[in-house]
Amino acid sequence: HHQMKLYDDQRRHEFDLTALGGASTNSKELARYFAPFGKQCLKVGELGSERVKTGEADIIANYFNVFTEAYPVQGEAYLATINKYTFTSNISFAPEYKYYGIGLHYRYHFSCDPEKGFWIDAAAPFMHVETNMNLKEKVIDAGGVGGDNPQVPDGYVGNMTAAFKQSGWQFGKIDGPQTTTRLSDIQIGLGYTYIKEETHYLESYTGIIIAAGNKPNGEYLFEPIVGNGGHNGIVFDM
């Protein structure tokens, strides 16, 4: 009788470990969310470049703190200085997303028969997430005198690659791979199993999701997020 009771108690407990992993497979489709009108390549130009003068530029580099000549001063020299801003480049994105981790799951059956009755369970994956915008820039005209001698003023940058990661930006930076490793959201619930056969089963479940992952803060574009962005939740299932 003692051995049988021990066997029943052991059957009440279930513990599972599951390996998780995945990666994006189509960078072009992901890039559509970060570039206008489905473009694969964005044309960049300073205010004095032909691209800007003809309306061909998608991005005006000076609006991103790119200056390849002295910062303009008001007066007669203003327009002459603007015309020296000839920097042009092409930029593109090939975003990648990767994740892997371990899923932890525990269930306890209140009844001695785990095939029927009430049970509680808890689940929480431990995850590593990596994102990368894969910003590529091809400089066509470096700007400045003759297009090859940029004179970048203090506090400014000479290309879009440097612009996207400048320390003065609080939001929307791009600077190589971004990673985070942490516990994801914790799900705890109460369920009831009505039928559990080899060919079919029926059970009800209700629970809560406790936010344990990180919240997006916008400092980096396409930032890695573990869990549901810091949101708690309620789960119902039948």
Side-chain angles (χ1 to χ4, degrees), residues 43-45 49-57 88-90 140:
K43 297 179 179 180
V44 181
S49 67
E50 288 301 314
R51 281 185 173 179
V52 173
K53 292 178 180 178
T54 60
E56 184 184 359
T88 56
S89 72
N90 294 334
I140 299 171

Side-chain angles (χ1 to χ4, degrees), residues 1-67:
H1 175 73
H2 175 72
Q3 289 179 337
M4 180 61 70
K5 184 177 186 303
L6 179 62
Y7 176 68
D8 287 341
D9 285 343
Q10 288 175 340
R11 293 183 66 195
R12 292 183 178 188
H13 301 274
E14 294 181 16
F15 182 72
D16 302 301
L17 286 176
T18 305
L20 308 171
S24 58
T25 59
N26 194 329
S27 293
K28 289 185 178 180
E29 286 298 312
L30 282 176
R32 292 175 56 192
Y33 292 95
F34 301 99
F37 312 117
K39 292 186 175 183
Q40 297 297 319
C41 176
L42 298 178
K43 297 179 179 180
V44 181
E46 276 192 295
L47 289 167
S49 67
E50 288 301 314
R51 281 185 173 179
V52 173
K53 292 178 180 178
T54 60
E56 184 184 359
D58 298 303
I59 296 174
I60 297 178
N62 303 107
Y63 296 165
F64 287 76
N65 273 359
V66 175
F67 283 89

